Amino acid sequence: MTLPTLGPYEFPAKDVQANFPAPLLYICWDAHTMFCSPVCIPLPPETPFTVLRDQILPRVYGQHPDFEKIDWSQVQWFKSSQSWQPEPTATLAGNGLGHKDLIRFRTPGLSGINGSGS
């Protein structure tokens, strides 16, 4: 989908990967609106997916009471809006993740604080 503009876009984009310490990865935990939007984290492409799952996500979402109840073997992953199954032992780059990609995860049976979606 392209956005209409009033004129040509004749200046360099400021959000290119070269302007950040590492590629940006957007992450969203579906049905947990205590977090109002995806988080955006700069992560080196050589980061193993297990590090993201086991070390980074707990720092981001660990204060939510549902987080400690997650059964990671049941989590449904999405890359943008497409169902996706990450390879846990591969790096982020090895999983096809690049600058400004969005991954979402859904935790069946966990739908926020008291089922409120919060």
Side-chain angles (χ1 to χ4, degrees), residues 12-108:
K14 298 285 186 181
D15 61 353
V16 295
Q17 183 176 336
N19 291 340
F20 295 91
L24 301 178
L25 180 64
Y26 290 90
I27 306 166
C28 182
W29 185 7
D30 284 358
H32 288 77
T33 57
M34 183 171 124
F35 308 97
C36 65
S37 62
V39 296
C40 183
I41 304 172
L43 292 170
E46 63 273 5
T47 303
F49 191 83
T50 54
V51 169
L52 171 66
R53 185 191 64 205
D54 300 340
Q55 296 176 27
I56 296 169
L57 291 182
R59 288 188 228 155
V60 174
Y61 295 115
Q63 291 195 1
H64 194 287
D66 276 354
F67 191 82
E68 65 186 29
K69 301 174 191 171
I70 295 174
D71 177 353
W72 290 102
S73 68
Q74 299 299 311
V75 168
Q76 300 164 348
W77 293 95
F78 301 86
K79 185 176 175 187
S80 295
S81 60
Q82 302 296 314
S83 182
W84 172 71
Q85 189 58 49
E87 172 55 50
T89 60
T91 64
L92 298 179
N95 272 294
L97 296 171
H99 184 59
K100 295 176 56 179
D101 276 341
L102 166 67
I103 60 171
R104 299 176 16 244
F105 65 102
R106 188 173 296 153
T107 50

